[in-house]
Amino acid sequence: MKQTLRKAAVIGAGVMGAKIAAHIANAGLQVYLLDMVSESADDRNAIAKSAIDRLLQASSFSAFTHPNRAERVIPGNIDDHMGLLNDVDWIVEAVVERSDVKKGLYKKIEDIRKPDCVLSSNTSTIPLAELTRGMPERFAGNFLITHFFNPPRYMRLLEIISGPMTRPEVTRTIREFIDRHLGKSIVDCKDSPGFICNRIGVFWLQCALHTAIRLNLNLEEVDAAMSKPLGNPKTGVFGLMDLIGLDLIPHIIATLKTGLPPSDAFHAYSEVPAVYSGLLDRGFLGRKTGAGFYRIRRMNGDKLSESVDLASGEYRPTRKAGFKLPDQTGNASIRALLDLPDDIGLFAWRIVSETLNYTAGLVPEIALNLADIDRAMRLGFNWRTGPFEMIDRIGIDYLETRIRRDGKALNGMLNVKGPMYRTDGGILRHKNPNGEFTLAPPMPGVLSLDDIKRRGSPLLENPCASLWDIGDGVACFEFHTPMNTLNRELLDLLQRSIDLAADKFRALVIYNDGPHFSAGADLKELLAAIEAQNWAEVEAFIRKGQKVYRALKYAPLPVIGAPSGLALGGGAEILLHCDAIQAHIELQMGLVETGVGLIPGWGGCKEMLFRNHAARESTKEGTLAATTFLLIAKRSVSQSAEIARDLNFLSERDSITMNRDRLLADAKAKALNLARHYRTPASANVSIVSSPAATWLSAAIDEIASGKPVSDYERILFQRLADVLSGDAPGTRINEQTVSERELENFMFLVRRPETSARIETMLKTGKALDN
C-alpha cells in the first residue's frame, strides 16, 4: 500500500460531494468530480461543472482556500469518465443515501480501480456492514467510511469507520492523509446506526423539539437556553436545524428508527412533528432556502426577522428570550439554568438529563471510550464540552439525585460512581465502564497546551496572559483575555516574557488554544480613556505597544507567531513583528483599524510598507505606498492563510498548517529550526524610498470609493494614513523610526475626533463598522 496519495476522485457532485472534492483540492491533489450525465444541457459534464461554479460564486463559507484551487477539480460524468478511476489512489463516494444505489456503483468501480486504490463512503446513516454485504473480499479490504461534516473545509471532525475486513494499511494511509493534509481531527466510531454525532445529536435535537412543543415554549427561549448557558453555539436547537438543513434530519431519523432496537430511548422522540413537516411541505429547508424555523424577509426596504410559532406553524416577528439567569459563571451557570423554577428550567432539565443519560448508555456501543464521544460532540456539534465532560461540570451526584427523583433509571456510565475524568500527576485520564481510568494514547506530532498546563505552572502570569515552558528550550506566550484582545496589562507581561525568554530559552512561540488568535487592541479600555479625555494615557498605550513590539522584533532569539482564526488590528501587528509565522490554514488576518476611525499604531503601517518593499511588490515609489495604503484603507482581511500570502501578510519564510491540532507542535519545530543559526536583525532603521501622497492618494481614494461619495471625515482619515506611508518629496528616504513616529502622531490626531469615538462605540455595540 502506498503511503502517499497523488490523485483522488469524488463521485456525486451534490452539496457534500462537491465540497469534499474542493477540500481535497485544497490539500494539493488533482481530483475528478463525477456525476450523472446532464440530460438538459449540451455539456454532458454540466452537473459537475455547475457544482464547481456554485462553490466559486459562494459569498460565504467558500469551499476553496484559494480560488486557484478550483483548477485542480476536473468535472466529468459517470458514463464517459469512469475509466479515469484506474489512475486514482482514493475514491470518495458521496451519492444518494440508498444502499442499493451505492452498491451498484461499487460494482462498477471494482471493474476499474487499481488494486491499491482506496474506496470510502461519505455516508452519515448506512452501516458499513450493509455496504460491504455481498461484495467481494478484495472490495471489503480497501473499503471504509469517511464521514465528513458540512462544510468539509471548516468542520474539523471526521468520523472514520473501518470494517473487520478493512486492511490496517488502508486505514493507516487514509488517516494520515486526512489528518495532515485535510486537517481533520479523526474519531474512530463503531459501525452502529448514526455513528457518534448523529446518534447523540439528533436525539438531542428531537428531544428538544418534542419537549418545546409539549411545554408550548417559544423557539427563541429554547435556543437561548440551549446555547450560552451550556457553552454551546448561539444557534441553539432550531438555529442549528436550519443550518444543517431541515430535509436532511428526517433521513437520519428514518435510519435510526430502522437500525435501533425497539428498546432504544430514541424511539420516544422519533416522529417528525406537524410543525416540522409543514415547513418541509412548503419547501422551507433552512438557511439554504432562506427560510426554516427562522427567516429574514424584506418589507418596505427593511429587513424583518421572523420565526415560527411552534403552536400554529406560522411565522411571526422574532422575539427576545424572556428568561434571565442569575449572575453565575462556569459550571454554576448550567446548574442555575437547570434549577430555574419555571418551564424553561423544566425544559432545560429534561433535555440535558435525558441526553446525558442516553449518552451514558452508549459506551462502548458507539465508540471505544467516552473521551472519543466527547471529542466528537465538541468538534461535530461545536459543543464547548462533550456529554461526559458536562456530567462532571454539573456533578454526577446532582444528576443521579434528580434523575432518580424523576423515577427514571440511570444508564451505563452514570452507574459507575465518581467523575468521568481525573488528573493524575498532570495527566488526564478517562473512566472506562469497569470504573478504571485510562490514558488516551498520544497522537504523534501533536502538542497540547492544555496538557502542558496540567503538568505544571506558568513561568509568568497575570489575568490577561501567561508564559509557559513547552520543552526543548522553547517558551510559549499565551493570551487569555476575551477574544484575546490586547491591553496594557497583557503588553506588560509580554515585555517581561521577552526578557525572560531571552535569558533562559532558545526560542519563543506566541500562541493560544482559543478559536481566534486576537481581535486586536482592547477597544473598551481605549474608549474609556477617550471619554475621560485622558490623552496622555492613550499616548502611553500606543507608545507601549510600539516599544514592546519593537522588542519582539529585535529580541536575541527567534519569535514565531502561531495564529488561527481572527488576527486583526493589533493581533495582526504582533504577527508582523515575529521572525516567522506558522499559520493555521483558517487565518483571517488584517489591519482593520480604519473601521474604528484609526490607523495601525503599533507598527502595522511600518511593517507592511517595508514588507511590500522587500517583496518587490512594485518598482515605482508611489505604487509601493499606494499598495500598502489600499491594503489598510480597504480593511483587507484574508479568508485563508493562502490568501494572507497573496496579501503579503505571510512571506516566503512563513508556513501553513492544515490541522489545528498540530499548530503548536509545528510552530515549536519551526522555532527550533530557526534557533540553530539565529541572528538578531541588524537594524531598526533600514530605510526605503517613498513618494509624496499627492502623487497617488487621489487615485487610491477613487479606487476605494468605486463611485460612492467619500465623507469629509473619511478623507481626513485617509489623508492621515497616507501621511504615515509617504515621503515629503520625490525620492525621500524614510526609515522605520520615522514611520513609527508618524503612526503615533496621526493616531493621536484621529483619536480626538468625535467621529472616531462614534465608530468605536458602534463596533463595540454591533460588531460592525460605522460609515460616517
Side-chain angles (χ1 to χ4, degrees), residues 5 7 10 54 158 168 173 217 256 258 277 284 327 353 366 405 417 426 431 444 464 469 484 533 664 681 728 740 758:
L5 304 179
K7 284 185 183 180
V10 176
R54 284 194 298 272
L158 184 132
T173 297
L217 297 178
L256 294 174
T258 302
S277 299
F284 297 157
D327 260 347
S353 64
I366 66 172
R405 191 189 305 158
K417 299 296 184 182
K431 184 182 286 182
C464 304
D469 183 344
N484 293 320
Q533 296 191 2
L664 181 57
D728 298 322
S740 293

Short mmCIF file of all heavy atoms in Angstrom, two decimals, residues 5 7 10 54 158 168 173 217 256 258 277 284 327 353 366 405 417 426 431 444 464 469 484 533 664 681 728 740 758:
data_model
loop_
_atom_site.label_atom_id
_atom_site.label_comp_id
_atom_site.label_asym_id
_atom_site.label_seq_id
_atom_site.Cartn_x
_atom_site.Cartn_y
_atom_site.Cartn_z
N LEU A 5 -0.80 9.87 -1.39
CA LEU A 5 -1.89 9.93 -2.37
C LEU A 5 -1.58 11.02 -3.38
O LEU A 5 -1.19 12.12 -3.00
CB LEU A 5 -3.22 10.22 -1.66
CG LEU A 5 -3.63 9.25 -0.54
CD1 LEU A 5 -4.96 9.69 0.07
CD2 LEU A 5 -3.73 7.82 -1.04
N LYS A 7 -3.70 11.33 -6.61
CA LYS A 7 -4.93 11.70 -7.29
C LYS A 7 -6.11 11.12 -6.54
O LYS A 7 -6.01 10.05 -5.92
CB LYS A 7 -4.96 11.18 -8.73
CG LYS A 7 -4.12 11.94 -9.72
CD LYS A 7 -4.35 11.35 -11.12
CE LYS A 7 -3.47 12.04 -12.15
NZ LYS A 7 -3.68 11.47 -13.50
N VAL A 10 -14.10 12.05 -6.58
CA VAL A 10 -15.33 12.10 -5.79
C VAL A 10 -16.48 11.83 -6.75
O VAL A 10 -16.60 12.49 -7.79
CB VAL A 10 -15.52 13.45 -5.09
CG1 VAL A 10 -16.86 13.49 -4.36
CG2 VAL A 10 -14.38 13.72 -4.11
N ARG A 54 -20.84 26.93 -8.54
CA ARG A 54 -21.56 27.39 -7.34
C ARG A 54 -20.61 27.58 -6.17
O ARG A 54 -20.75 28.53 -5.39
CB ARG A 54 -22.66 26.40 -6.97
CG ARG A 54 -23.90 26.47 -7.86
CD ARG A 54 -25.07 25.73 -7.24
NE ARG A 54 -24.79 24.30 -7.08
CZ ARG A 54 -25.01 23.39 -8.01
NH1 ARG A 54 -25.53 23.74 -9.19
NH2 ARG A 54 -24.75 22.12 -7.79
N LEU A 158 -13.91 14.37 11.54
CA LEU A 158 -14.19 13.34 10.55
C LEU A 158 -14.36 12.02 11.30
O LEU A 158 -13.48 11.60 12.04
CB LEU A 158 -13.08 13.21 9.52
CG LEU A 158 -13.42 12.19 8.41
CD1 LEU A 158 -13.14 12.77 7.03
CD2 LEU A 158 -12.65 10.89 8.60
N PRO A 168 -5.47 -2.96 7.63
CA PRO A 168 -4.93 -1.92 8.51
C PRO A 168 -4.14 -0.86 7.77
O PRO A 168 -4.21 0.33 8.10
CB PRO A 168 -4.03 -2.69 9.49
CG PRO A 168 -4.59 -4.07 9.50
CD PRO A 168 -5.12 -4.31 8.11
N THR A 173 -3.19 4.69 5.94
CA THR A 173 -2.88 5.63 4.87
C THR A 173 -3.91 6.75 4.78
O THR A 173 -3.56 7.94 4.68
CB THR A 173 -2.79 4.91 3.51
OG1 THR A 173 -1.72 3.96 3.56
CG2 THR A 173 -2.55 5.89 2.38
N LEU A 217 -43.41 26.29 24.39
CA LEU A 217 -42.37 27.31 24.52
C LEU A 217 -42.14 28.02 23.20
O LEU A 217 -42.45 27.50 22.12
CB LEU A 217 -41.06 26.66 24.97
CG LEU A 217 -41.07 25.98 26.35
CD1 LEU A 217 -39.72 25.34 26.62
CD2 LEU A 217 -41.41 26.98 27.45
N LEU A 256 -32.19 5.78 11.94
CA LEU A 256 -32.12 5.40 13.36
C LEU A 256 -33.34 4.57 13.76
O LEU A 256 -33.23 3.60 14.52
CB LEU A 256 -32.00 6.65 14.22
CG LEU A 256 -30.70 7.45 14.07
CD1 LEU A 256 -30.75 8.74 14.88
CD2 LEU A 256 -29.49 6.62 14.49
N THR A 258 -35.02 2.57 11.92
CA THR A 258 -34.88 1.23 11.34
C THR A 258 -33.78 0.44 12.03
O THR A 258 -33.93 -0.76 12.28
CB THR A 258 -34.57 1.33 9.83
OG1 THR A 258 -35.62 2.06 9.20
CG2 THR A 258 -34.44 -0.04 9.21
N SER A 277 -43.02 19.07 9.60
CA SER A 277 -43.49 18.59 8.29
C SER A 277 -44.08 19.73 7.46
O SER A 277 -43.92 19.77 6.24
CB SER A 277 -44.54 17.50 8.48
OG SER A 277 -44.01 16.40 9.18
N PHE A 284 -39.50 25.01 2.84
CA PHE A 284 -38.66 25.81 3.75
C PHE A 284 -37.69 24.85 4.44
O PHE A 284 -38.03 24.18 5.41
CB PHE A 284 -39.52 26.53 4.78
CG PHE A 284 -40.48 27.54 4.20
CD1 PHE A 284 -41.61 27.93 4.89
CD2 PHE A 284 -40.24 28.10 2.94
CE1 PHE A 284 -42.50 28.85 4.35
CE2 PHE A 284 -41.11 29.03 2.40
CZ PHE A 284 -42.24 29.41 3.10
N ASP A 327 -26.68 35.76 38.09
CA ASP A 327 -25.29 36.03 37.71
C ASP A 327 -24.41 34.87 38.14
O ASP A 327 -24.01 34.78 39.30
CB ASP A 327 -24.79 37.31 38.38
CG ASP A 327 -24.83 38.48 37.42
OD1 ASP A 327 -25.00 38.21 36.24
OD2 ASP A 327 -24.71 39.61 37.87
N SER A 353 -30.75 16.25 31.03
CA SER A 353 -30.70 14.98 31.75
C SER A 353 -30.94 13.80 30.82
O SER A 353 -30.24 12.77 30.91
CB SER A 353 -31.70 14.97 32.90
OG SER A 353 -33.03 15.06 32.43
N ILE A 366 -20.98 2.69 20.71
CA ILE A 366 -20.75 3.54 19.53
C ILE A 366 -19.31 4.01 19.40
O ILE A 366 -18.92 4.52 18.35
CB ILE A 366 -21.69 4.76 19.54
CG1 ILE A 366 -21.38 5.70 20.71
CG2 ILE A 366 -23.14 4.33 19.56
CD1 ILE A 366 -22.15 7.01 20.65
N ARG A 405 -35.21 11.02 41.26
CA ARG A 405 -36.41 11.70 41.73
C ARG A 405 -37.48 11.71 40.64
O ARG A 405 -38.68 11.69 40.93
CB ARG A 405 -36.06 13.13 42.16
CG ARG A 405 -37.20 13.84 42.91
CD ARG A 405 -36.85 15.31 43.09
NE ARG A 405 -35.58 15.48 43.77
CZ ARG A 405 -34.84 16.58 43.69
NH1 ARG A 405 -35.24 17.60 42.93
NH2 ARG A 405 -33.69 16.66 44.34
N LYS A 417 -19.69 5.00 39.86
CA LYS A 417 -19.56 6.12 40.78
C LYS A 417 -18.34 7.00 40.48
O LYS A 417 -17.32 6.51 40.00
CB LYS A 417 -19.46 5.62 42.23
CG LYS A 417 -20.68 4.83 42.69
CD LYS A 417 -21.92 5.70 42.72
CE LYS A 417 -23.12 4.95 43.27
NZ LYS A 417 -24.34 5.77 43.24
N GLY A 426 -0.64 15.34 36.60
CA GLY A 426 -0.68 16.23 35.44
C GLY A 426 -1.14 15.54 34.17
O GLY A 426 -1.13 16.16 33.10
N LYS A 431 -12.57 7.58 32.36
CA LYS A 431 -13.09 6.38 33.01
C LYS A 431 -13.57 5.37 31.97
O LYS A 431 -14.15 5.73 30.95
CB LYS A 431 -14.23 6.76 33.95
CG LYS A 431 -14.79 5.60 34.76
CD LYS A 431 -15.94 6.04 35.63
CE LYS A 431 -15.44 6.84 36.81
NZ LYS A 431 -16.57 7.23 37.70
N PRO A 444 1.08 11.24 17.68
CA PRO A 444 2.40 11.72 17.27
C PRO A 444 2.30 13.06 16.54
O PRO A 444 1.42 13.25 15.71
CB PRO A 444 2.91 10.62 16.32
CG PRO A 444 2.09 9.41 16.66
CD PRO A 444 0.76 9.93 17.11
N CYS A 464 -4.36 38.40 32.20
CA CYS A 464 -4.53 38.55 30.74
C CYS A 464 -3.68 37.60 29.90
O CYS A 464 -4.00 37.37 28.73
CB CYS A 464 -4.19 39.99 30.33
SG CYS A 464 -5.16 41.21 31.20
N ASP A 469 6.58 26.98 29.65
CA ASP A 469 7.71 26.21 29.13
C ASP A 469 7.13 25.02 28.39
O ASP A 469 6.52 24.13 29.00
CB ASP A 469 8.60 25.76 30.29
CG ASP A 469 9.84 25.01 29.83
OD1 ASP A 469 9.90 24.58 28.66
OD2 ASP A 469 10.77 24.84 30.66
N ASN A 484 -9.15 37.46 23.15
CA ASN A 484 -7.70 37.67 23.16
C ASN A 484 -7.31 39.10 22.75
O ASN A 484 -6.33 39.32 22.02
CB ASN A 484 -7.00 36.65 22.26
CG ASN A 484 -7.12 35.24 22.83
OD1 ASN A 484 -7.01 35.05 24.04
ND2 ASN A 484 -7.38 34.27 21.99
N GLN A 533 -11.02 61.85 28.15
CA GLN A 533 -10.07 62.77 27.50
C GLN A 533 -8.68 62.68 28.14
O GLN A 533 -7.97 63.67 28.29
CB GLN A 533 -10.60 64.20 27.54
CG GLN A 533 -11.88 64.38 26.75
CD GLN A 533 -12.28 65.83 26.55
OE1 GLN A 533 -11.58 66.76 26.97
NE2 GLN A 533 -13.41 66.05 25.90
N LEU A 664 0.61 24.06 17.27
CA LEU A 664 1.64 24.39 18.27
C LEU A 664 2.90 23.56 18.05
O LEU A 664 4.02 24.09 18.14
CB LEU A 664 1.09 24.18 19.68
CG LEU A 664 2.05 24.50 20.82
CD1 LEU A 664 2.55 25.94 20.74
CD2 LEU A 664 1.39 24.25 22.18
N PRO A 681 18.01 40.59 13.83
CA PRO A 681 18.06 41.57 12.73
C PRO A 681 18.98 42.73 13.07
O PRO A 681 19.01 43.20 14.21
CB PRO A 681 16.60 42.00 12.59
CG PRO A 681 15.82 40.84 13.09
CD PRO A 681 16.64 40.24 14.21
N ASP A 728 8.31 63.09 2.04
CA ASP A 728 7.97 64.51 1.98
C ASP A 728 8.19 65.10 0.59
O ASP A 728 7.61 66.13 0.25
CB ASP A 728 8.81 65.29 3.00
CG ASP A 728 8.51 64.84 4.42
OD1 ASP A 728 7.33 64.55 4.70
OD2 ASP A 728 9.45 64.75 5.23
N SER A 740 7.22 54.98 12.51
CA SER A 740 6.66 54.77 13.85
C SER A 740 6.21 56.08 14.48
O SER A 740 5.13 56.17 15.10
CB SER A 740 7.68 54.07 14.76
OG SER A 740 7.93 52.76 14.31
N ALA A 758 -17.48 57.67 17.69
CA ALA A 758 -18.73 57.07 17.22
C ALA A 758 -18.47 55.72 16.56
O ALA A 758 -19.24 54.76 16.73
CB ALA A 758 -19.41 58.02 16.23
#
